[in-house]
Structure formats: structure tokens, C-alpha cells
Amino acid sequence: QVQLVESGGGLAQPGGSLRLSCAVSRSIVSINFMGWYRQAPGKQRELVARIDRNSNTIYADSVTGRFTISRDNAKDTVYLQMNSLKPEDTAVYYCNAMIFGVPYWGQGTQVTVSS
């Protein structure tokens, strides 16, 4: 069973920054796609950013230029650096790994952007 554990969420002011981490219980070297999703109250879960095993990345239009996804294969960890945060970034953020076509999810970490 693969486990994903997110950390780094919390309260930030508009314009502030947070860095989320996702620690994976197995080697991520061979995991082709890893991503961050978010779900705001009353809304569907949406893709925020995704990174493949060659570190190619894609981003949602709403976060392009503000968020950066990265992976550290030596630490089996994926990160999401979030800068210039906006109130509309408030959501529960989930880490995702696709392993042999099966999605694995973390428990989620709350990010709240408010003054």
C-alpha cells in the first residue's frame, strides 16, 4: 500500500507564500505522474499542477506564474511552492500519484488565504 502524506498547509495572507510537501512511502523515481489537486468548499476537485518523471510540468491557468511544482527523487517527496497567494487559492490541497494506472491520494492539507 502506497501512502502519501502532505504537510505545509496553514494560514497565509494575500500576497504571501506557502510550500506544501508530499512524502511518499516508496521510491518515486519510477512514478510517471505526480500532482497536486485542490478542492474548495462546494466545488469539484481540480488539478493545480502535475509533474512527470522527466520533470515536465503543467499548471492550471489560475496558478501559472505563481505556483511551482518540483520533485526530489532522493527524498521521495514532491513539493508545491505557492507564491502571491490569493483568497481564491483557499482549499484543501491533495497530493496524487498515478502508479500503474491506479490513483493514490494523500489525506489533504488545508490552505487558507485571508487577511
Side-chain angles (χ1 to χ4, degrees), residues 4-50:
L4 285 69
V5 180
E6 301 101 335
S7 61
L11 176 65
Q13 291 190 339
S17 298
L18 287 172
R19 188 176 82 153
L20 305 184
S21 299
C22 172
V24 184
S25 63
R26 54 152 279 175
S27 171
I28 68 170
V29 170
S30 61
I31 298 178
N32 203 19
F33 294 107
M34 294 204 65
W36 287 96
Y37 289 71
R38 67 186 180 187
Q39 187 167 18
K43 294 188 176 182
Q44 290 188 332
R45 191 174 297 190
E46 63 175 358
L47 175 67
V48 175
R50 192 184 72 182

Side-chain angles (χ1 to χ4, degrees), residues 23 31 48 62 69 88 98 102 104:
I31 298 178
V48 175
S62 59
I69 187 171
E88 51 263 44
M98 291 297 295
V102 177
Y104 292 86

